[in-house]
Amino acid sequence: MSPSPSAVGSAPPGVRLRTMTPADLEVVSRLESELFGAEAWSPATLAAELDRAVGPGADRRYLVAELLAAAGADAGTDCGAADPAAGGSAIVGYAGLWYGDGRGDADLLTIGTVPAARRRGVATALLTALLATAAEAGCRAVLLEVRASNETAQRLYAAHGFVPVGRRRRYYLAPVEDAVVMRRRLRAPAAGS
C-alpha cells in the first residue's frame, strides 16, 4: 500500500511541512553540504532520490520544513530558500524515508535541520510525519543509522521509541566512525514471520 502524498503532518508554530519538490533541490543541496560536510549527498544523488519519490513506483518520501514569513522575521534566522522578511519562506529542515513495498522495514534515509531551528520541534515534526508515512505504507518498523558520537540525535530518536539494535563498523568515512543502528517497531509482526 502506497502512502497518501497529501498527508504531511503537523509542525511547530510558524513552520510548515510539505513534500519536497525539484525546486527545493538547490537549497537542500546547499544545506546538505553545510550540515553533513564530506558525508553529504551530491546534488545528483538528491535529484535521483527525489525522482524515486514520485509516480506509480514511488517507494520513498522526502519532506521539507519551511519557516513561514512572519516566523522568520521573529526568529531572525538566515537559513534558506527565500527571504522570510520579504514574504517568502525558508527551508529549515528536510528528511527522507524509504518505505519500499510496505512489507518490511522502512529506512530513515536522512534528516537535517539548520542550527538556528534546532530544539524547536522541526526534527520531531519531520520524523513524526515520516513515521506516519511508514505506518500508512504498512511497514513493520523503521530503521536508521546515526553517528555513535551524535548523542543529541540518539536522544531524539529514543524519545520517539527507537532502540539501539546494532552497530555498523566504520559506516561513516569522514571522519571514520561507527554508526549505531536504531529501530522503532510500528506494528507487531504477522503470524509466521
Short mmCIF file of all heavy atoms in Angstrom, two decimals, residues 60-110:
data_model
loop_
_atom_site.label_atom_id
_atom_site.label_comp_id
_atom_site.label_asym_id
_atom_site.label_seq_id
_atom_site.Cartn_x
_atom_site.Cartn_y
_atom_site.Cartn_z
N ARG A 60 9.59 5.96 -1.68
CA ARG A 60 10.21 6.80 -0.65
C ARG A 60 9.49 8.15 -0.59
O ARG A 60 8.72 8.47 -1.49
CB ARG A 60 11.70 6.97 -0.88
CG ARG A 60 12.04 7.61 -2.19
CD ARG A 60 13.47 7.31 -2.61
NE ARG A 60 13.53 5.92 -3.03
CZ ARG A 60 14.61 5.16 -2.98
NH1 ARG A 60 15.75 5.65 -2.59
NH2 ARG A 60 14.57 3.91 -3.36
N ARG A 61 9.78 8.91 0.45
CA ARG A 61 9.15 10.21 0.61
C ARG A 61 10.16 11.19 1.18
O ARG A 61 10.93 10.86 2.08
CB ARG A 61 7.97 10.10 1.57
CG ARG A 61 7.24 11.40 1.73
CD ARG A 61 5.97 11.17 2.46
NE ARG A 61 5.07 12.29 2.18
CZ ARG A 61 4.02 12.54 2.90
NH1 ARG A 61 3.70 11.76 3.90
NH2 ARG A 61 3.26 13.56 2.62
N TYR A 62 10.14 12.39 0.61
CA TYR A 62 11.01 13.47 1.09
C TYR A 62 10.15 14.67 1.45
O TYR A 62 9.25 15.06 0.70
CB TYR A 62 12.04 13.87 0.01
CG TYR A 62 13.15 12.85 -0.06
CD1 TYR A 62 13.03 11.73 -0.87
CD2 TYR A 62 14.28 12.99 0.74
CE1 TYR A 62 14.03 10.77 -0.90
CE2 TYR A 62 15.27 12.03 0.71
CZ TYR A 62 15.14 10.93 -0.11
OH TYR A 62 16.13 9.98 -0.12
N LEU A 63 10.43 15.26 2.60
CA LEU A 63 9.71 16.42 3.10
C LEU A 63 10.69 17.56 3.38
O LEU A 63 11.87 17.32 3.66
CB LEU A 63 9.00 16.09 4.41
CG LEU A 63 7.97 14.98 4.41
CD1 LEU A 63 7.48 14.71 5.82
CD2 LEU A 63 6.82 15.32 3.48
N VAL A 64 10.18 18.77 3.32
CA VAL A 64 10.92 19.93 3.80
C VAL A 64 10.08 20.62 4.88
O VAL A 64 8.85 20.52 4.87
CB VAL A 64 11.28 20.95 2.69
CG1 VAL A 64 12.26 20.35 1.69
CG2 VAL A 64 10.06 21.49 2.00
N ALA A 65 10.76 21.29 5.77
CA ALA A 65 10.12 22.14 6.78
C ALA A 65 10.48 23.57 6.41
O ALA A 65 11.66 23.90 6.26
CB ALA A 65 10.63 21.80 8.17
N GLU A 66 9.45 24.38 6.24
CA GLU A 66 9.64 25.78 5.88
C GLU A 66 9.31 26.67 7.06
O GLU A 66 8.27 26.49 7.70
CB GLU A 66 8.68 26.19 4.76
CG GLU A 66 8.96 25.59 3.43
CD GLU A 66 7.96 26.10 2.40
OE1 GLU A 66 6.74 26.07 2.66
OE2 GLU A 66 8.44 26.52 1.35
N LEU A 67 10.16 27.64 7.29
CA LEU A 67 9.87 28.69 8.25
C LEU A 67 9.05 29.72 7.51
O LEU A 67 9.48 30.25 6.49
CB LEU A 67 11.18 29.30 8.77
CG LEU A 67 11.09 30.33 9.87
CD1 LEU A 67 10.53 29.70 11.14
CD2 LEU A 67 12.46 30.91 10.14
N LEU A 68 7.85 29.98 7.98
CA LEU A 68 6.97 30.91 7.29
C LEU A 68 7.41 32.35 7.51
O LEU A 68 8.12 32.66 8.46
CB LEU A 68 5.53 30.69 7.74
CG LEU A 68 5.02 29.26 7.48
CD1 LEU A 68 3.62 29.08 8.04
CD2 LEU A 68 5.06 28.94 6.00
N ALA A 69 6.97 33.24 6.65
CA ALA A 69 7.44 34.63 6.62
C ALA A 69 7.42 35.33 7.97
O ALA A 69 8.43 35.84 8.42
CB ALA A 69 6.63 35.42 5.59
N ALA A 70 6.30 35.36 8.63
CA ALA A 70 6.20 36.08 9.91
C ALA A 70 7.10 35.47 10.96
O ALA A 70 7.75 36.16 11.73
CB ALA A 70 4.75 36.10 10.40
N ALA A 71 7.18 34.13 10.98
CA ALA A 71 8.03 33.45 11.96
C ALA A 71 9.50 33.72 11.68
O ALA A 71 10.29 33.84 12.59
CB ALA A 71 7.75 31.95 11.94
N GLY A 72 9.87 33.82 10.41
CA GLY A 72 11.27 34.07 10.05
C GLY A 72 11.74 35.41 10.57
O GLY A 72 12.85 35.55 11.07
N ALA A 73 10.87 36.41 10.47
CA ALA A 73 11.24 37.74 10.97
C ALA A 73 11.42 37.70 12.48
O ALA A 73 12.34 38.30 13.02
CB ALA A 73 10.16 38.74 10.58
N ASP A 74 10.55 36.95 13.17
CA ASP A 74 10.64 36.85 14.63
C ASP A 74 11.87 36.08 15.07
O ASP A 74 12.51 36.43 16.04
CB ASP A 74 9.39 36.18 15.21
CG ASP A 74 8.15 37.01 15.01
OD1 ASP A 74 8.28 38.23 14.75
OD2 ASP A 74 7.05 36.44 15.09
N ALA A 75 12.17 35.00 14.35
CA ALA A 75 13.26 34.12 14.76
C ALA A 75 14.62 34.68 14.38
O ALA A 75 15.62 34.30 14.94
CB ALA A 75 13.08 32.73 14.16
N GLY A 76 14.65 35.57 13.39
CA GLY A 76 15.91 36.15 12.96
C GLY A 76 16.85 35.13 12.36
O GLY A 76 18.05 35.26 12.47
N THR A 77 16.31 34.13 11.70
CA THR A 77 17.17 33.11 11.12
C THR A 77 17.49 33.43 9.68
O THR A 77 16.69 33.99 8.96
CB THR A 77 16.50 31.73 11.19
OG1 THR A 77 15.29 31.78 10.46
CG2 THR A 77 16.24 31.30 12.61
N ASP A 78 18.67 33.06 9.27
CA ASP A 78 19.08 33.17 7.88
C ASP A 78 19.34 31.75 7.42
O ASP A 78 20.42 31.21 7.63
CB ASP A 78 20.35 34.01 7.77
CG ASP A 78 20.91 34.02 6.37
OD1 ASP A 78 20.13 33.81 5.42
OD2 ASP A 78 22.12 34.21 6.23
N CYS A 79 18.33 31.13 6.83
CA CYS A 79 18.51 29.71 6.62
C CYS A 79 17.96 29.15 5.34
O CYS A 79 17.63 27.99 5.31
CB CYS A 79 17.99 28.92 7.81
SG CYS A 79 16.54 29.55 8.59
N GLY A 80 17.80 29.88 4.29
CA GLY A 80 17.49 29.04 3.17
C GLY A 80 16.83 29.59 1.96
O GLY A 80 17.32 30.48 1.32
N ALA A 81 15.69 29.00 1.63
CA ALA A 81 15.10 29.08 0.30
C ALA A 81 14.75 30.48 -0.13
O ALA A 81 14.79 30.79 -1.29
CB ALA A 81 13.86 28.20 0.25
N ALA A 82 14.36 31.32 0.76
CA ALA A 82 13.92 32.65 0.40
C ALA A 82 14.13 33.56 1.59
O ALA A 82 14.54 33.13 2.65
CB ALA A 82 12.44 32.62 0.01
N ASP A 83 13.83 34.81 1.40
CA ASP A 83 13.97 35.79 2.48
C ASP A 83 12.64 35.89 3.22
O ASP A 83 11.69 36.46 2.70
CB ASP A 83 14.37 37.13 1.89
CG ASP A 83 14.51 38.22 2.94
OD1 ASP A 83 14.38 37.91 4.15
OD2 ASP A 83 14.74 39.37 2.56
N PRO A 84 12.54 35.35 4.44
CA PRO A 84 11.28 35.40 5.16
C PRO A 84 10.77 36.83 5.36
O PRO A 84 9.58 37.07 5.31
CB PRO A 84 11.59 34.74 6.51
CG PRO A 84 12.79 33.91 6.26
CD PRO A 84 13.56 34.63 5.19
N ALA A 85 11.66 37.80 5.56
CA ALA A 85 11.24 39.18 5.77
C ALA A 85 10.59 39.77 4.51
O ALA A 85 9.82 40.71 4.59
CB ALA A 85 12.44 40.02 6.20
N ALA A 86 10.90 39.20 3.34
CA ALA A 86 10.34 39.70 2.08
C ALA A 86 9.06 38.96 1.71
O ALA A 86 8.57 39.08 0.60
CB ALA A 86 11.38 39.56 0.97
N GLY A 87 8.53 38.17 2.64
CA GLY A 87 7.26 37.49 2.38
C GLY A 87 7.43 36.08 1.84
O GLY A 87 6.45 35.45 1.50
N GLY A 88 8.64 35.59 1.77
CA GLY A 88 8.87 34.23 1.29
C GLY A 88 8.93 33.26 2.45
O GLY A 88 8.45 33.53 3.54
N SER A 89 9.53 32.11 2.20
CA SER A 89 9.71 31.14 3.27
C SER A 89 11.14 30.61 3.16
O SER A 89 11.78 30.75 2.14
CB SER A 89 8.70 30.00 3.13
OG SER A 89 8.88 29.35 1.90
N ALA A 90 11.60 30.03 4.24
CA ALA A 90 12.96 29.48 4.27
C ALA A 90 12.89 28.03 4.67
O ALA A 90 12.17 27.67 5.61
CB ALA A 90 13.81 30.26 5.26
N ILE A 91 13.64 27.19 3.98
CA ILE A 91 13.73 25.78 4.36
C ILE A 91 14.64 25.68 5.56
O ILE A 91 15.79 26.11 5.52
CB ILE A 91 14.24 24.92 3.18
CG1 ILE A 91 13.20 24.93 2.05
CG2 ILE A 91 14.52 23.50 3.65
CD1 ILE A 91 13.64 24.22 0.80
N VAL A 92 14.11 25.12 6.66
CA VAL A 92 14.87 24.99 7.89
C VAL A 92 15.15 23.54 8.25
O VAL A 92 15.83 23.26 9.23
CB VAL A 92 14.19 25.72 9.07
CG1 VAL A 92 14.15 27.22 8.82
CG2 VAL A 92 12.80 25.17 9.33
N GLY A 93 14.63 22.62 7.44
CA GLY A 93 14.88 21.21 7.68
C GLY A 93 14.34 20.38 6.54
O GLY A 93 13.53 20.86 5.73
N TYR A 94 14.79 19.15 6.47
CA TYR A 94 14.33 18.22 5.45
C TYR A 94 14.59 16.81 5.93
O TYR A 94 15.42 16.58 6.81
CB TYR A 94 15.00 18.48 4.09
CG TYR A 94 16.50 18.34 4.12
CD1 TYR A 94 17.12 17.14 3.78
CD2 TYR A 94 17.30 19.40 4.54
CE1 TYR A 94 18.49 17.01 3.84
CE2 TYR A 94 18.67 19.27 4.60
CZ TYR A 94 19.26 18.08 4.25
OH TYR A 94 20.62 17.94 4.32
N ALA A 95 13.87 15.87 5.35
CA ALA A 95 14.04 14.47 5.76
C ALA A 95 13.52 13.57 4.65
O ALA A 95 12.68 13.97 3.85
CB ALA A 95 13.29 14.19 7.06
N GLY A 96 14.03 12.34 4.64
CA GLY A 96 13.59 11.36 3.65
C GLY A 96 13.49 9.98 4.25
O GLY A 96 14.23 9.63 5.18
N LEU A 97 12.57 9.19 3.70
CA LEU A 97 12.30 7.84 4.17
C LEU A 97 12.08 6.92 2.99
O LEU A 97 11.34 7.26 2.06
CB LEU A 97 11.03 7.85 5.03
CG LEU A 97 10.51 6.48 5.48
CD1 LEU A 97 11.10 6.13 6.84
CD2 LEU A 97 8.99 6.49 5.57
N TRP A 98 12.71 5.75 3.02
CA TRP A 98 12.42 4.69 2.04
C TRP A 98 11.46 3.72 2.73
O TRP A 98 11.73 3.26 3.84
CB TRP A 98 13.70 3.96 1.65
CG TRP A 98 13.46 2.77 0.79
CD1 TRP A 98 13.32 2.75 -0.57
CD2 TRP A 98 13.32 1.41 1.21
NE1 TRP A 98 13.09 1.47 -1.01
CE2 TRP A 98 13.08 0.62 0.06
CE3 TRP A 98 13.36 0.78 2.44
CZ2 TRP A 98 12.90 -0.76 0.11
CZ3 TRP A 98 13.18 -0.59 2.50
CH2 TRP A 98 12.96 -1.35 1.34
N TYR A 99 10.32 3.44 2.09
CA TYR A 99 9.35 2.51 2.66
C TYR A 99 9.14 1.28 1.77
O TYR A 99 8.42 0.37 2.15
CB TYR A 99 8.01 3.19 2.97
CG TYR A 99 7.40 3.92 1.80
CD1 TYR A 99 6.67 3.24 0.83
CD2 TYR A 99 7.55 5.29 1.66
CE1 TYR A 99 6.11 3.91 -0.25
CE2 TYR A 99 6.98 5.96 0.60
CZ TYR A 99 6.27 5.27 -0.36
OH TYR A 99 5.73 5.94 -1.42
N GLY A 100 9.76 1.24 0.61
CA GLY A 100 9.67 0.07 -0.26
C GLY A 100 8.24 -0.28 -0.61
O GLY A 100 7.42 0.60 -0.89
N ASP A 101 7.94 -1.56 -0.54
CA ASP A 101 6.58 -2.01 -0.86
C ASP A 101 5.71 -2.11 0.39
O ASP A 101 4.57 -2.56 0.33
CB ASP A 101 6.60 -3.34 -1.61
CG ASP A 101 7.19 -4.47 -0.79
OD1 ASP A 101 7.47 -4.28 0.42
OD2 ASP A 101 7.39 -5.56 -1.36
N GLY A 102 6.25 -1.70 1.53
CA GLY A 102 5.49 -1.70 2.77
C GLY A 102 5.43 -3.03 3.49
O GLY A 102 4.81 -3.14 4.53
N ARG A 103 6.11 -4.05 2.96
CA ARG A 103 6.02 -5.38 3.58
C ARG A 103 7.15 -5.65 4.58
O ARG A 103 7.12 -6.66 5.26
CB ARG A 103 5.99 -6.47 2.52
CG ARG A 103 4.68 -6.46 1.74
CD ARG A 103 4.60 -7.63 0.82
NE ARG A 103 5.39 -7.31 -0.36
CZ ARG A 103 5.34 -8.01 -1.49
NH1 ARG A 103 4.58 -9.07 -1.59
NH2 ARG A 103 6.07 -7.66 -2.52
N GLY A 104 8.12 -4.76 4.65
CA GLY A 104 9.24 -4.98 5.56
C GLY A 104 9.47 -3.76 6.42
O GLY A 104 8.53 -3.07 6.82
N ASP A 105 10.73 -3.50 6.70
CA ASP A 105 11.11 -2.34 7.50
C ASP A 105 11.40 -1.17 6.57
O ASP A 105 12.00 -1.33 5.51
CB ASP A 105 12.36 -2.64 8.32
CG ASP A 105 12.11 -3.63 9.44
OD1 ASP A 105 10.94 -4.00 9.67
OD2 ASP A 105 13.10 -4.02 10.09
N ALA A 106 11.00 0.03 6.99
CA ALA A 106 11.35 1.26 6.29
C ALA A 106 12.73 1.70 6.79
O ALA A 106 13.23 1.19 7.80
CB ALA A 106 10.31 2.33 6.58
N ASP A 107 13.34 2.65 6.10
CA ASP A 107 14.65 3.16 6.47
C ASP A 107 14.62 4.68 6.43
O ASP A 107 14.32 5.26 5.37
CB ASP A 107 15.71 2.63 5.51
CG ASP A 107 17.13 2.83 5.98
OD1 ASP A 107 17.35 3.38 7.08
OD2 ASP A 107 18.05 2.45 5.24
N LEU A 108 14.90 5.33 7.57
CA LEU A 108 15.05 6.78 7.58
C LEU A 108 16.35 7.09 6.87
O LEU A 108 17.42 6.71 7.35
CB LEU A 108 15.05 7.32 9.01
CG LEU A 108 15.11 8.83 9.13
CD1 LEU A 108 13.84 9.48 8.62
CD2 LEU A 108 15.38 9.24 10.56
N LEU A 109 16.28 7.72 5.72
CA LEU A 109 17.46 7.93 4.89
C LEU A 109 18.26 9.16 5.29
O LEU A 109 19.49 9.15 5.24
CB LEU A 109 17.04 8.07 3.42
CG LEU A 109 16.32 6.86 2.83
CD1 LEU A 109 15.74 7.19 1.46
CD2 LEU A 109 17.28 5.68 2.74
N THR A 110 17.57 10.22 5.66
CA THR A 110 18.24 11.45 6.05
C THR A 110 17.28 12.32 6.84
O THR A 110 16.06 12.24 6.65
CB THR A 110 18.75 12.23 4.81
OG1 THR A 110 19.57 13.32 5.24
CG2 THR A 110 17.62 12.74 3.93
#
